[in-house]
Amino acid sequence: MNLFRPRPVILPSLALLLAAGGCSSADGSTSTAVPSPPAAVTELCRNLDEALPSAVDDLGRRDPSPASALTAGWGNPAIILRCGVERPAKLNDPEAEGVEVDGVGWLLEKRDGGAFRFTTTLRKAYVEVTIPEKRTGDGMAPLVDVAPAVKKAIPEGIAD
């Protein structure tokens, strides 16, 4: 089992990588699948929901539907956070890309259409943040804004 240790990345380099993803998106959807984690993880996710900022990258909070303490969103097209997601298979890949933002490790995955998905590593619950293609030029700002809440609500460790 690979525990995946994120490698620190110089933020300007990652910002350039994200900016290369493009600046347009056809997906303005504000709905998302709600994870269904075990009760202990659900409790951590509820704590995270209470700690999340009202704005991310200067975008107001606009939660997706259906309403849930396990999901949050900001802006339109929305930056979407889902807490309690399953462990990404990509964490088994020794070549997986990772970043560390304010003490929180994140797995980086480029998605179809130019979006990026970041999933926490070495935390008791997996938290996923998806940044749509139109917002990838914002660099690391979404993770910088979310990281303090993750550090506060989701303890370090390995999720079950």
Side-chain angles (χ1 to χ4, degrees):
M1 178 169 126
N2 179 15
L3 296 180
F4 181 79
R5 298 269 180 201
R7 292 170 271 170
V9 173
I10 298 172
L11 294 181
S13 297
L14 187 58
L16 289 174
L17 171 68
L18 292 174
C23 295
S24 65
S25 174
D27 183 10
S29 175
T30 57
S31 65
T32 193
V34 176
S36 30
V41 171
T42 297
E43 186 61 31
L44 293 174
C45 292
R46 288 175 200 243
N47 294 340
L48 176 60
D49 186 56
E50 292 174 9
L52 288 172
S54 59
V56 166
D57 197 25
D58 294 326
L59 302 169
R61 188 160 171 178
R62 296 174 50 147
D63 289 349
S65 60
S68 171
L70 304 179
T71 61
W74 296 269
N76 186 15
I79 295 167
I80 298 289
L81 178 144
R82 297 185 327 129
C83 184
V85 298
E86 293 193 22
R87 182 181 190 277
K90 188 76 172 170
L91 284 176
N92 293 326
D93 181 354
E95 300 297 316
E97 293 292 324
V99 297
E100 185 171 325
V101 177
D102 293 339
V104 177
W106 300 89
L107 168 70
L108 163 65
E109 297 177 274
K110 183 162 180 169
R111 309 297 292 162
D112 291 338
F116 283 88
R117 179 171 65 193
F118 295 88
T119 307
T120 56
T121 62
L122 302 175
R123 295 275 164 185
K124 291 287 187 176
Y126 293 106
V127 178
E128 171 189 286
V129 175
T130 302
I131 303 173
E133 181 183 15
K134 185 174 182 180
R135 302 248 179 251
T136 57
D138 297 340
M140 299 302 296
L143 298 183
V144 169
D145 291 342
V146 168
V150 171
K151 279 176 68 172
K152 178 180 178 182
I154 310 293
E156 291 184 63
I158 298 175
D160 296 330

